[in-house]
Amino acid sequence: MKTSPAIAPDPARSSRHPGLVLACVSACTVLVISLVAAINVAVPMISASGLHPSSSQLLWIVDAYIVVFACLVIPAGAAGDRFGRKGVLLTGLGTFAVGAGISAISANVPIMLLGRAITGIGAALVLPNGLAVLVHATAPERRGRALATWAAVTGVAGIIGNVGGGALLATGSWRSLFVAVAPIAVLCGLWVALVAPRSSRHSRTLDPAGTTVFVAATVALLIGIIEGPEQGWGSAVVVTAFVLSAALGAVWVVVELRVPHPMLDPRLFRIPLLRSAALGMLVMFFGNFGLFYVNASLLQYGRGYSVLQAGLGILPLPLPVLLGSRYVPDLAKRIGIPATLAAAFLAGAVGLYGLSTAAGQPYFVYAAWLVVIGIGLALGMPCLTTELTASLPTEQAGVAGGLQSATRELGSALGVAVVGTVLTASFTQHLPAILRDREPIPRTITQALTVAPTHRAAIVDAFTTGADTALRVASVVTALAGAVVIAGAVRAGRRAI
């Protein structure tokens, strides 16, 4: 049976301490991914803050960072291939720090969204180029283990964001989250400057047209999803957004097929295993970041946890990732990638559904379902990361890293958007009649409690019901899309024989 093409060693690789490079790149990875999750812990605090965001604005505060991150991560990887991965990585860390500073001092929602978008640009520059630096700094015989470790880090980074975010927010202000991450980004930049080797550059041009169309198509899709509950699914805004997204998606394919150096060549998806792994990464992060959006608020409102307790409440999830990820490459060799991915998606779907039934049960039951989800992450992430990386040649390491990052972040953005939308729709349907008859109807739990504080128990019940419904939707989507991924992996394996 044929195997995925190996990545050739880079003649420019000069690192004598690949372990330090792995630690440095892992720290940068944790920084940019953990902020995706940390903001979810702050959602109740931001909702009740002087920014006074609506339900859709609250989703955009969470998703603005992820959307920009997802849309620009592939061209950012290509920029690293063109201008040098280390330099682009350092630029990204500086941009990240600036965006976090703007978010920290924002006085209204538009400035907050600007800061989140700039931070997303920085994150897009950091993630694929950090991975590319790691690939080129690690000898081929050690690269598989290094990538498995990096994959495990990406899996637990969201948990670190929940716990670290909870600890920072315990100070009483959501601004402390952004105040803290800015200097951390600067310190990571100093570390990169000291230990990361320079790698060879490649004379590929960038693709501004393809990038612009891709960003527009993605934003239009998320506008439709996020604004649906508030504007109405048949409203002109929502219908136009979906139609525009589909049309722009078609235009993007045409543009990418015609430019000499596309941001992401659609023909790459003819590679069966790459296509399957990219979809798998998207689905896995759809479910898990949908969970992160719901989890912190569910623990704070449903169980009465403090913001720190809510951050700590997710800790059982990374245990399987931390303890078992290093054994997954050997397991995949023994039983095959399709079987490993089948177990991963089954665990993820079952765990999400189990959580939807555990709201009124003791915490240890809730924790057990988090462990099941963690098993899914531990099994799936190393397989998907290794296959995506090995599917492209070394001169396209930045694009390979960008594709992995884009599928993860796009999955995260869709997870937050879809789960948040389902949560809002179900929440408003289950509010007490006195609130359902109001105009406008409250769409966040903070708004509802402000209007009718004496109905707190019924409002919290409505929120819990909405969260349970959202988790079940995430479970079904994970199961169905996971089946498609597994079928694709099986077909890819047959073609490789």
Side-chain angles (χ1 to χ4, degrees), residues 120-295:
I121 294 171
L125 294 170
V126 167
L127 198 57
N129 291 293
L131 178 58
V133 165
L134 176 62
V135 167
H136 287 275
T138 309
E141 64 272 13
R142 297 182 178 179
R143 192 171 287 139
R145 294 288 182 185
L147 289 174
T149 301
W150 184 84
V153 167
T154 66
V156 301
I159 314 303
I160 294 172
N162 271 269
V163 176
L168 290 169
L169 294 167
T171 61
S173 172
W174 57 267
R175 298 181 190 275
S176 60
L177 177 63
F178 302 104
V179 169
V181 300
I184 294 174
V186 173
L187 291 175
C188 284
L190 293 175
W191 193 0
V192 168
L194 290 173
V195 306
R198 295 187 179 277
S199 57
S200 58
R201 302 181 185 186
H202 301 279
S203 57
R204 57 177 287 131
T205 58
L206 302 182
D207 178 21
T211 301
T212 301
V213 177
F214 181 77
V215 170
T218 305
V219 171
L221 173 64
L222 291 173
I223 286 174
I225 294 173
I226 290 174
E227 297 295 333
E230 197 156 311
Q231 301 283 343
W233 293 104
S235 67
V237 170
V238 173
V239 172
T240 301
F242 285 136
V243 171
L244 187 60
S245 178
L248 287 171
V251 171
W252 175 76
V253 172
V254 173
V255 169
E256 296 298 83
L257 290 175
R258 292 184 177 181
V259 297
H261 296 289
M263 175 193 79
L264 176 62
D265 192 339
R267 287 165 290 208
L268 288 175
F269 291 98
R270 293 176 181 173
I271 303 172
L273 203 51
L274 181 143
R275 184 172 63 241
S276 176
L279 177 60
M281 196 76 76
L282 185 148
V283 173
M284 191 157 288
F285 275 76
F286 171 93
N288 282 283
F289 277 83
L291 163 64
F292 290 157
Y293 182 77
V294 169
N295 177 73

Side-chain angles (χ1 to χ4, degrees), residues 68 120 234 236 293 302 396:
V68 174
Y293 182 77
Q396 288 185 288

Side-chain angles (χ1 to χ4, degrees), residues 6-19:
I7 298 176
D10 187 339
R13 175 166 45 88
S14 59
S15 174
R16 296 181 180 179
H17 304 286

